[in-house]
Amino acid sequence: MSLAAQSLCNGLIRRSIELRALYRHAAKEVSEPGLRTVLNEEAQSLDHVIAELQAQLSKQTFIPATRSRMIGRARQHFDTLLVRSMHRSDDAWIRVLARNEKRLLKAYERALGRIASGEMTVVLHRQLPRLQSIDMDMHSLAKAIGS
C-alpha cells in the first residue's frame, strides 16, 4: 500500500471516528428512547467499520488513526449548538446525522476510486454495504420527519 493510500484510509478512519462520536452525542441528546437506540446501534456499526480498517492498516505495518481531527471536534460542537437552538431537536439531529452520513459514504466511494486494487480495496468494499445501510436508515428517518 502506498503512503497516499495509507493517508486516505487514515482520513476515512478519522471521519468515521468523528461521525461515531456525533452519533453517540446525539443519542445522549435526543428525547425519543427509540431514536436513542437506533443512534447507538449506528455508532456500534461504525465501531466495526473503524476496527476493521484499523486492523487492516496494522496488518500492513502502518499506524492507523485512533482519534478524530480537531476540525471534527469543532464541527461536532457547532452542530450541537445549532441543534440546541432548534425547536424540534430530535428532528434536527436526524437531519445533521443524515447529512454527515452522506458525506462519509461519499468519502468512502471516492477513496475506492483512488486506491489501487489490493487488500485495502477489499476491506473498503466489504464496509461499503454497512455504510450504505446506515445512510439508508438515516435518510429514511429524515424522510419520515419531512426533510
Side-chain angles (χ1 to χ4, degrees), residues 86-103:
M86 297 181 167
H87 175 63
R88 298 174 51 119
S89 64
D90 284 9
D91 294 356
W93 275 117
I94 291 170
R95 285 187 202 95
V96 166
L97 291 166
R99 185 178 62 242
N100 282 286
E101 188 61 51
K102 180 60 81 185
R103 287 181 187 147

Side-chain angles (χ1 to χ4, degrees), residues 5 18 25 42 79 83 90 107 117 123 137:
E18 291 164 9
H25 183 72
E42 303 299 14
D79 286 339
V83 168
D90 284 9
S117 293
V123 172
D137 290 346

Side-chain angles (χ1 to χ4, degrees), residues 18-29:
E18 291 164 9
L19 184 55
R20 178 187 62 188
L22 190 60
Y23 271 108
R24 287 184 177 147
H25 183 72
K28 292 176 187 172
E29 295 283 319

Side-chain angles (χ1 to χ4, degrees), residues 2 5 23 33 42 55 61 68 73 89 93 100 107 119 125 130 145:
S2 70
Y23 271 108
E42 303 299 14
T61 67
S68 65
R73 288 188 291 268
S89 64
W93 275 117
N100 282 286
E119 282 188 57
H125 276 291
R130 181 176 277 144
I145 62 166

